[in-house]
Amino acid sequence: MEEKEITSDTVLTDVKTVATMLKKAGADVRLYLLWKNKKETMFSYAETSKEIKDSFKKRWMNDYNDDKNQEITQFNVGMEKTDHLMFCSSEEFPLMKKHVEKTNTENDSKQFVEDLSTIRPKLNLVRGYCAHIYTDEENLYLFGSTNTFNSLTKSRGFGLIGNVGDKEITKLSDDDLIIGFNPKTTCYIHNSVCVIKNKKGFEDLFGLLEEYKKLAEETIKLFSNYPEFYQGIENFEDDLNRRPILYRSVVNFGKKTGIIESVSQHLDEIKMIKENDAFKAKYKDLKINDKGIVYTRSSLPLFLSLLNEEPVKSIITGNEFFAEH
């Protein structure tokens, strides 16, 4: 079956579908705490009261069900941080499908831990939650982050610690361990749609740094086609591995077909950048000679900046080479 294209309009339609679902009396919630066991993300099922279940429905309503016109942008690996909602296909990254499958109670062998006994003694390993909100017809997976406050129970300096309600303060026992669920969510998955509230949280949750690394490694191979222009480039991958946060930047320019070849044909323009008043301070450490760029570890950010066309509007076309800043 051919997958339907996901657009901002289909996402807005999905938001309305979910909002209707959450208003149904039969919508229930299964809550899982997410934690790491080596590199594997583990799901531990937590029994919860109706009040706590309802709090996760409210989180969704607060973050996505806005009566105002929301601006929704398609997610891509190179995009900057944004306050807008983002979307992508829930099939796009392998861990998304895997995380959803872990909550399936019909698996012959359960892919989640069935209680909190394993993780309770080490709550510092918990990194977030998945709230599986469902009816007979629909399944929604809401993800967010958590904070732990175990240190409170280890110090008598605080005296009495209590939960503050609208009308009363409820005492916590000496055996209580405390976990907090951040009010802002990370993303939700419904059918084939993933809607993202927090870009960094989303990337961390679904292991995108590893995805970026794989994509970056494929892009790096293309430099070997231009050995005279990209000199010293054999050290580039090792330097990049020391600063993995920069994988995203490589993936970003790697999406531009032919950019590595195109930059190699614009040595004169690169010299102009280094001499131009608007850019020479920033690019003074970018080394070039009469054949091309001489890559060095210290110039790594500048090298990435150039390939991402930050100082230009278009190296490929040559139009308006010096961009406005």
Side-chain angles (χ1 to χ4, degrees), residues 267-324:
L267 180 58
D268 288 342
E269 287 86 350
I270 294 170
K271 289 178 179 177
M272 289 171 62
I273 289 175
K274 284 182 62 66
E275 295 168 0
N276 185 274
D277 289 342
F279 306 112
K280 64 182 181 182
K282 178 176 180 180
Y283 286 90
K284 64 182 177 64
D285 292 330
L286 183 70
K287 300 184 184 302
I288 59 175
N289 59 23
D290 59 351
K291 292 183 179 180
I293 296 173
V294 182
Y295 172 78
T296 62
R297 179 182 296 177
S298 62
S299 66
L300 172 59
L302 305 175
F303 183 64
L304 294 175
S305 171
L306 188 72
L307 284 157
N308 276 298
E309 301 189 272
E310 291 180 11
V312 299
K313 285 193 175 176
S314 178
I315 288 178
I316 294 174
T317 65
N319 294 335
E320 298 184 58
F321 191 83
F322 293 110
E324 294 178 3

Side-chain angles (χ1 to χ4, degrees), residues 120-131:
R120 189 177 185 274
K122 41 190 177 182
L123 283 182
N124 59 302
L125 297 182
V126 177
R127 289 293 178 267
Y129 67 84
C130 171

